[in-house]
Every structure is written in structure tokens, then in C-alpha cells.
């Protein structure tokens, strides 16, 4: 019945002009034509489609057969596959590009998880040929819509996490990325020619749509995957994909240095926010900077006039953006970018004026979050390495200012302790012959020491919470008492020692006695089986309380706390002995 209906409507339409087809003719052709294909009459449909007398009809509404044809083409073992392909190709050559584009885009938008990749790969070349047939003056919006739809499909694919997964392309992402680059190639070539010869509005619109697509690819794919160096993976489709993006951007007249430096330069302008986020998303700019400075892509497009300090200033914007993410891949790339940027600088060269830039404060806070709260041990370790590398690049005054900045803004005892350890190292360096400087062995050091040798909450300070800060402060004070003779007083420690005793040593002694008495009482009660309130024996990590412990765990925790107090007291007693010895000399 479907074949008979199709033949009837085709025969009736042969006598009509193209603009004479009625809605009923249209509906009957669509229903009957699709039914014939689905019911196995594809050979008869092919005959009708190829008949010269039917070309006006095919040109006008033949594209409506796409749903049935695409489903048939996706069934690769179907015996009618050659007929499906012949009909499909003839429609691509005969139908008007505007209607073809609508039909193909509708098929691309079909939601079917099982055939998503195959459907995309099947439709890419037909869409490319159809777009190239469109009037160049009306191509830009259609190209942008098609590229956006394709990107949505590819960005939803799982990412390869291992070298083997990328080599085997287990999720088809690599193939899709390669095909995307083949898809855009003729449009890039055309835009590159036009960029040299003309500045017509419609040509600029095509370049804009291509730029938006490439930036979207940098943001949604390149930034999310781990790119492997040639030493790890000689032939990497994803690395080639990223490299091709940069080459295409340059080809259509986009300045890669201009994009990398945009976070600084665009502060001077007030562009339309939505347009700016579409053409220059922060994620894409950070991804681009990572490709240039970590993977050394497109470095030949960057002039040599940019100093390492200016490069650092620019990349700090990208680093802070990446480190503010909770995504481990982005954090890793942020750390890598900052490390590579810092390695271009000599040690002790960054001046204190840079710390007046708000981004440096943001950087220290972002690094603190990575070092203390990131769930990945590898990232925490890398964060600490990069943090120390940052410190190493500052000159003496900048180090001094940076230490004060972190100590004032950080509430994490571990980071405070790490900074105090760095201060001790700087003092030790300054006290060595030929290394004297006023910041760590002169008039400026004493105000910093006064800031260190104080308990945050006086005698009631939680000594376990502030363990790292208190222990490193004690170690620093012990070092100063041993290293700096009272007669020399190069650090000024002896000038202020009586104040240090009142503000630090005596409150610490009192706090230690109270804390030890409290925990010894709790330990005694726990060991004899007394009921202990849960809130009195709780531990926390990152300000998050751990679950209530059983009795054995409670006893172990109490013993550990008492051991900490013993360790603090041993250093405190040693300092007191050293001071007493020097006073009697």
C-alpha cells in the first residue's frame, strides 16, 4: 500500500510545477516514501528518485526521506545498504542546500546514545558539502549552528584517561576530533584567503564563527584531556587536534599572543559581556596559554620581546583561573603552567612591586587550597613544590613581604609553619658571611619576629590545632638563640627577648600545663572505662569532625596528643636552658 501511495503522489506531482505541490502531496510523499524504505522497498524508491521526470519533486521535498535513510545507513549489515546510499547521495546532489541543511541538522540532533558517534561521523561530510554549496554571503550562521551542534556531541564523549585508551581510541573521541578538523579545513582555507584579500562583512562573520568553534574546542575538549608529550606517545591524535586548532586560529587572522594576553588588555575595555564570553571564554584562554608555555605549541607566533616577568604577570591570570577549579585536570594544568612560567625566571629576581597586584594574593590563596584540601596527594605535593618555587623567585624584600602577607591571610597552621620554616632558612642564609641583608638580619626582621612569637589565643590556644605554627616558631627561636650571639645581636632577637618571653614563652608554658592536665585526666578516665563525652574526644581534618572513635582509638589519640605536648616542652625547655646559659656568661 505504501509503494502504491508513493507512486500515485509522484505521478500526480509530475504534472505540477514545483510551487504547485499541496500540503497533502507533501505529507503523502513523506509518509509513503519513509514507509517504503522501512518496509524494504528501497530499490523501487531509488528508481523513483533517479527518474528524470521526478527531479523537480525530488529537488523540492526529497530531503524529507532523510530520517528513514539515516536509520538504514546506520544498520551497516542491512542488505538494502547500497540502495540507501545511492538515494542519500542523489538527494545530496539534487536537493536545494537550504532544505538539505535543515534535514541533516535534524538528524544530527536525534538523541540516541547507541548511535551518537556513528551518526555524527556519517553526517559530517554531507553537512560539509551542503554548507559549501550555500551562498557564501549566508553561510556564517549556518556554519556556526552546525559546528556548535557537532561540538555538543563530541564534548559528551568519555575522555581517555590512559595512554592505551588514547592509542586504541576506545571512546572514539580521537577519531571524532580528527574528523572535526577535516570538516572545518575548507572553511578555514577559504577564510584564510579572504583574510588576505578582503574585509567583507560576511567573510568576517565566517571567521568569527570559526573562532568561536575553536575556542569552544579549547575549552570543552583540550582543557579537559591530558595531552601526552611525544616522548610518552609519539603519535597522539589529541595533541594533533590541539596543534591544528592553533594553526587554524592563526590562519584565519587571530593573534595567539593577543588571546593569551587578553585577560590583562581587555581590562581597559568594556565589551559586551555575552559576546566576550562566547568569543574569548576564560577557560579557552587558559587552555591556550597551557598549550603554548607547557607544550610549546605555536611558540613561533610569539615575539621574543616579552620579558619573563611580563609573561608571569599574564599567566598568573590563567593560573589563578585554573587553580580556582575543583577539577583535578584543570588544577594540574594550572600548576604545570605556573611552574613552567617560573622556570623562565632567575631566582631572587622578582621585585616587591609585583605583590601590589591583587592576583598574587589570589595565587597564594589558591595554592593554599590545593596544598591543604585537594583530595589528590600528587596534586598536593605538586602544589607545595610550585609554592616553594614561587618563593625562590622573589628577592629579599619581596620574600619578606610575601611571608607577612601569607601569615596574615592564612588560617592554616601547616602553611603558617611552612612559611616560618622558610623564614628560618632566609635568616640562616643572611647570617652567613657575605649574605647580609636588612630584611632577614637587620632592622626589618624584628617586626616580623614579633608577629611570629605570639600565641593566636594566648594561653587558651588550641596547641594541637596550631601544632605546626607553634613547633616551627619554637624551632626558629631555638635557632636564633644558638646562632645569634647576644653580643652581636644581628637579628635583634636579644633586644626583644623579654617581650618574647611575656607574649610567647610564658603563655605557651601555661597552655602546655593546662592541655597536658586535661588530656591526662581524659586518658585516665578512658582507660578505667569511664564514659567520656564524644565532644571531648573528637579529631578534625580540614575543620571537619571525624566520626566518633571507639575506646582503643580514643586512648591512642590521647597518647598522641600527650606526645605532642612532650615534644613542644622539650624544645621549650632547651630554649630556656640556652638563654640561662648565655645570661650567666
Amino acid at each position: 500500500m505504501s509503494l502504491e501511495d508513493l507512486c500515485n503522489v509522484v505521478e500526480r506531482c509530475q504534472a505540477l510545477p514545483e510551487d504547485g505541490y499541496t500540503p497533502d502531496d507533501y505529507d503523502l510523499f513523506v509518509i509513503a516514501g519513509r514507509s517504503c524504505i522501512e518496509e524494504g522497498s528501497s530499490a523501487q524508491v531509488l528508481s523513483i528518485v533517479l527518474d528524470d521526470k521526478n527531479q523537480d519533486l525530488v529537488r523540492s521535498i526529497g530531503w524529507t526521506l532523510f530520517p528513514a535513510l539515516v536509520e538504514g545507513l546506520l544498520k551497516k549489515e542491512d542488505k538494502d545498504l547500497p540502495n540507501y546510499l545511492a538515494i542519500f547521495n542523489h538527494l545530496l546532489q539534487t536537493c536545494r542546500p537550504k532544505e538539505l541543511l535543515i534535514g541533516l541538522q535534524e538528524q544530527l540532533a536525534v538523541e540516541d546514545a547507541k548511535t551518537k558517534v556513528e551518526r555524527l561521523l556519517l553526517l559530517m561530510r554531507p553537512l560539509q558539502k551542503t554548507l559549501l554549496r550555500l551562498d557564501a554571503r549566508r553561510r556564517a550562521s549556518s556554519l556556526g549552528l552546525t559546528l556548535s551542534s557537532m561540538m555538543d556531541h563530541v564534548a559528551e564523549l568519555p575522555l581517555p584517561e590512559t595512554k592505551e585508551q588514547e592509542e586504541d581510541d576506545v571512546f572514539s573521541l580521537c577519531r571524532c576530533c580528527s574528523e572535526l578538523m577535516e570538516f572545518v579545513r575548507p572553511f578555514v582555507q577559504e577564510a584564510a584567503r579572504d583574510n588576505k584579500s578582503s574585509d567583507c562583512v560576511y567573510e568576517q562573520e565566517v571567521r568569527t564563527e570559526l573562532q568561536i568553534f575553536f575556542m569552544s574546542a579549547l575549552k570543552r575538549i583540550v582543557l579537559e584531556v591530558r595531552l601526552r608529550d611525544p616522548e610518552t606517545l609519539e603519535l597522539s591524535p589529541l595533541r594533533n587536534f590541539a596543534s591544528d586548532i592553533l594553526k587554524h586560529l592563526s590562519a584565519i587572522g587571530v593573534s595567539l599572543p593577543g588571546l593569551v594576553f587578553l585577560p590583562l588588555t581587555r581590562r581597559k575595555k568594556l565589551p559586551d559581556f555575552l559576546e566576550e564570553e562566547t568569543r574569548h571564554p576564560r577557560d579557552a584562554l587558559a587552555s591556550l596559554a597551557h598549550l603554548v608555555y607547557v607544550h610549546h605549541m605555536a611558540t613561533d607566533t610569539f615575539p621574543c620581546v616579552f620579558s619573563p616577568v611580563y609573561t608571569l604577570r599574564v599567566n598568573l591570570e590563567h593560573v589563578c583561573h585554573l587553580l580556582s577549579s575543583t577539577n583535578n585536570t584543570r588544577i594540574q594544568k594550572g600548576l604545570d603552567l605556573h611552574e613552567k612560567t617560573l622556570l623562565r625566571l632567575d631566582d631572587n629576581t622578582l621585585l616587591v612591586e609585583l605583590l601590589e597586584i591583587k592576583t598574587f594574593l589570589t595565587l597564594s590563596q589558591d595554592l593554599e587550597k590545593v596544598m591543604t584540601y585537594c583530595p589528590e596527594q600528587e596534586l598536593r605535593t605538586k602544589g607545595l613544590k610550585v609554592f616553594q618555587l614561587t618563593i625562590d623567585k622573589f628577592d629579599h624584600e619581596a620574600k619578606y613581604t610575601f611571608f607577612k602577607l601569607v601569615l596574615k591571610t592564612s588560617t592554616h597552621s601547616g602553611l603558617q609553619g611552612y612559611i616560618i620554616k622558610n623564614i628560618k632558612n632566609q635568616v640562616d642564609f643572611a647570617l652567613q658571611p657575605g649574605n647580609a641583608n636588612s630584611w632577614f638580619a637587620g632592622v626589618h626582621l624584628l617586626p616580623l619576629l614579633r608577629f611570629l612569637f605570639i600565641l593566636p589565643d594566648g594561653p587558651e590556644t588550641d596547641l594541637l590545632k596550631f601544632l605546626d605554627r607553634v613547633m616551627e616558631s619554637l624551632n626558629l627561636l631555638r635557632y636564633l638563640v644558638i646562632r645569634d650571639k647576644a653580643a652581636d645581636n644581628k637579628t635583634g632577637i636579644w633586644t626583644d627577648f623579654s617581650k618574647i618571653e611575656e607574649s610567647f614563652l610564658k603563655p605557651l608554658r601555661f597552655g602546655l600545663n593546662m592541655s597536658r592536665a586535661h588530656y591526662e585526666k581524659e586518658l585516665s578516665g578512658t582507660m578505667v572505662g569511664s564514659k567520656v563525652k564524644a565532644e571531648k574526644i573528637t579529631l578534625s581534618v580540614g575543620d571537619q569532625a571525624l566520626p566518633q572513635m571507639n575506646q582503643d582509638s580514643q586512648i591512642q589519640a590521647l597518647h598522641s596528643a600527650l606526645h605532642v605536648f612532650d615534644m613542644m616542652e622539650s624544645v621549650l625547655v632547651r630554649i630556656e636552658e640556652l638563654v640561662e646559659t648565655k645570661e650567666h656568661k
Side-chain angles (χ1 to χ4, degrees):
M1 181 62 71
S2 298
L3 182 59
E4 182 180 345
D5 291 340
L6 179 62
C7 292
N8 289 337
V9 70
V10 169
E11 185 176 352
R12 183 168 62 255
C13 290
Q14 286 175 350
L16 300 174
E18 280 192 63
D19 57 359
Y21 306 144
T22 67
D24 289 341
D25 294 332
Y26 177 91
D27 291 341
L28 186 57
F29 179 84
V30 171
I31 295 172
R34 292 179 184 178
S35 297
C36 286
I37 294 173
E38 292 167 354
E39 293 170 2
S41 301
S42 60
Q44 290 82 351
V45 175
L46 175 61
S47 178
I48 292 171
V49 167
L50 294 177
D51 193 327
D52 291 340
K53 298 190 296 293
N54 301 327
Q55 293 314 293
D56 288 344
L57 177 65
V58 171
R59 185 179 302 106
S60 180
I61 58 177
W63 61 276
T64 60
L65 300 178
F66 278 161
L69 287 172
V70 170
E71 293 302 322
L73 288 169
L74 292 174
K75 300 175 182 177
K76 298 180 181 180
E77 298 180 359
D78 196 306
K79 61 181 178 62
D80 289 326
L81 187 62
N83 294 332
Y84 298 151
L85 191 59
I87 299 170
F88 189 68
N89 288 333
H90 185 71
L91 295 180
L92 292 176
Q93 296 172 4
T94 306
C95 295
R96 290 186 288 264
K98 182 179 179 180
E99 285 83 5
L100 274 177
L101 194 59
I102 293 173
L104 292 170
Q105 287 178 339
E106 286 178 349
Q107 291 309 298
L108 188 61
V110 171
E111 293 291 339
D112 185 351
K114 294 181 179 179
T115 62
K116 176 183 293 186
V117 172
E118 290 79 5
R119 183 181 298 273
L120 175 63
L121 295 173
L122 171 66
L123 296 175
M124 272 191 180
R125 293 303 171 87
L127 279 165
Q128 182 193 63
K129 293 178 180 178
T130 302
L131 285 166
L132 290 171
R133 286 179 57 193
L134 284 175
D135 186 337
R137 291 169 293 185
R138 299 182 176 87
R139 183 182 296 160
S141 61
S142 298
L143 175 62
L145 182 63
T146 302
L147 289 174
S148 176
S149 182
M150 288 180 174
M151 179 54 60
D152 288 341
H153 280 69
V154 177
E156 292 176 354
L157 297 176
L159 305 175
E161 297 181 359
T162 65
K163 169 188 172 183
E164 290 73 25
Q165 286 181 339
E166 182 176 353
E167 285 180 318
D168 298 337
D169 196 16
V170 293
F171 305 119
S172 300
L173 176 67
C174 298
R175 184 183 175 191
C176 287
C177 288
S178 298
E179 290 297 325
L180 274 177
M181 289 298 98
E182 289 301 317
F183 179 89
V184 300
R185 194 174 304 280
F187 305 106
V188 170
Q189 292 172 345
E190 187 176 273
R193 289 194 301 269
D194 294 339
N195 186 48
K196 297 177 181 179
S197 60
S198 173
D199 286 322
C200 293
V201 173
Y202 68 84
E203 293 169 350
Q204 182 57 43
E205 289 175 347
V206 170
R207 288 194 288 271
T208 298
E209 293 297 341
L210 287 171
Q211 180 180 341
I212 290 173
F213 168 71
F214 291 133
M215 298 302 281
S216 178
L218 287 173
K219 171 184 177 180
R220 303 180 65 182
I221 299 178
V222 177
L223 185 59
E224 303 300 329
V225 300
R226 177 187 174 190
L227 296 182
R228 291 169 175 82
D229 293 326
E231 295 78 13
T232 305
L233 183 60
E234 184 176 0
L235 297 176
S236 169
L238 295 178
R239 192 175 63 245
N240 292 340
F241 177 65
S243 179
D244 285 344
I245 290 174
L246 303 196
K247 292 176 183 176
H248 290 336
L249 279 170
S250 295
I252 63 176
V254 177
S255 168
L256 298 184
L259 290 179
V260 171
F261 302 151
L262 193 59
L264 285 184
T265 59
R266 70 175 170 187
R267 288 180 175 179
K268 304 174 184 178
K269 305 175 184 179
L270 294 174
D272 178 81
F273 176 77
L274 292 178
E275 179 185 357
E276 188 70 6
E277 282 303 302
T278 301
R279 295 183 61 181
H280 307 123
R282 288 293 305 275
D283 286 342
L285 298 178
S287 179
L288 173 59
H290 183 267
L291 293 177
V292 172
Y293 291 103
V294 176
H295 293 282
H296 310 294
M297 293 185 183
T299 52
D300 57 327
T301 65
F302 281 69
C304 299
V305 297
F306 300 119
S307 70
V309 175
Y310 181 73
T311 302
L312 171 67
R313 177 70 187 87
V314 171
N315 281 343
L316 275 179
E317 302 289 333
H318 303 303
V319 170
C320 289
H321 180 72
L322 293 171
L323 294 184
S324 66
S325 172
T326 56
N327 180 286
N328 286 347
T329 300
R330 297 189 179 198
I331 293 174
Q332 178 71 60
K333 292 190 174 185
L335 294 173
D336 290 341
L337 176 58
H338 191 42
E339 181 182 36
K340 293 292 185 181
T341 306
L342 289 171
L343 290 174
R344 297 160 61 94
L345 294 158
D346 294 328
D347 287 352
N348 306 309
T349 56
L350 291 182
L351 303 180
V352 70
E353 286 77 13
L354 287 173
L355 293 176
E356 297 175 4
I357 301 171
K358 184 180 178 182
T359 314
F360 272 95
L361 174 59
T362 304
L363 172 68
S364 66
Q365 293 171 339
D366 288 336
L367 285 173
E368 177 181 347
K369 292 176 184 177
V370 174
M371 293 185 291
T372 55
Y373 300 120
C374 183
E376 292 289 334
Q377 173 64 37
E378 183 178 348
L379 291 180
R380 294 198 301 272
T381 303
K382 182 65 175 286
L384 182 61
K385 176 184 177 183
V386 172
F387 185 74
Q388 183 61 55
L389 187 61
T390 304
I391 294 173
D392 295 340
K393 300 305 175 181
F394 290 128
D395 68 3
H396 297 307
E397 183 180 2
K399 283 186 175 74
Y400 180 93
T401 306
F402 184 71
F403 293 156
K404 288 184 65 176
L405 178 69
V406 175
L407 288 170
K408 286 181 178 180
T409 57
S410 175
T411 59
H412 191 275
S413 175
L415 182 58
Q416 293 174 343
Y418 189 80
I419 290 295
I420 296 170
K421 185 175 182 179
N422 264 275
I423 293 173
K424 174 178 173 291
N425 293 337
Q426 291 302 313
V427 172
D428 181 62
F429 176 81
L431 290 177
Q432 294 175 12
N435 296 334
N437 66 80
S438 62
W439 297 100
F440 293 101
V443 296
H444 297 290
L445 179 60
L446 195 54
L448 182 59
L449 295 180
R450 289 170 183 161
F451 185 76
L452 299 181
F453 297 135
I454 188 171
L455 291 180
D457 300 314
E460 297 180 354
T461 298
D462 186 338
L463 296 180
L464 295 180
K465 179 180 179 181
F466 289 96
L467 168 64
D468 293 314
R469 173 179 175 138
V470 172
M471 282 302 302
E472 289 300 338
S473 296
L474 285 171
N475 287 332
L476 172 58
L477 182 56
R478 177 177 57 180
Y479 166 81
L480 293 173
V481 170
I482 295 173
R483 183 68 175 80
D484 191 11
K485 296 180 180 179
D488 297 333
N489 198 22
K490 294 179 180 179
T491 62
I493 186 67
W494 297 106
T495 304
D496 243 30
F497 199 84
S498 59
K499 294 181 180 179
I500 293 174
E501 283 186 308
E502 294 299 322
S503 65
F504 183 59
L505 297 180
K506 289 183 179 179
L508 178 58
R509 166 67 69 187
F510 188 74
L512 276 172
N513 292 337
M514 286 198 307
S515 298
R516 179 182 286 104
H518 171 72
Y519 276 83
E520 286 177 346
K521 179 180 179 182
E522 296 292 349
L523 178 61
S524 176
T526 303
M527 294 184 70
V528 298
S530 299
K531 292 184 178 180
V532 181
K533 293 182 179 180
E535 62 267 25
K536 290 186 178 180
I537 309 180
T538 57
L539 294 179
S540 62
V541 176
D543 295 329
Q544 297 295 317
L546 297 176
Q548 185 175 353
M549 299 177 288
N550 58 36
Q551 192 179 61
D552 290 341
S553 298
Q554 290 176 11
I555 293 173
Q556 184 177 356
L558 291 167
H559 275 299
S560 297
L562 290 171
H563 176 71
V564 167
F565 301 145
D566 290 339
M567 184 170 57
M568 284 185 185
E569 186 171 28
S570 67
V571 181
L572 179 57
V573 168
R574 179 56 179 157
I575 292 172
E576 293 170 343
E577 290 174 349
L578 289 168
V579 171
E580 184 178 357
T581 301
K582 293 206 173 189
E583 288 178 345
H584 284 85
K585 282 186 178 181

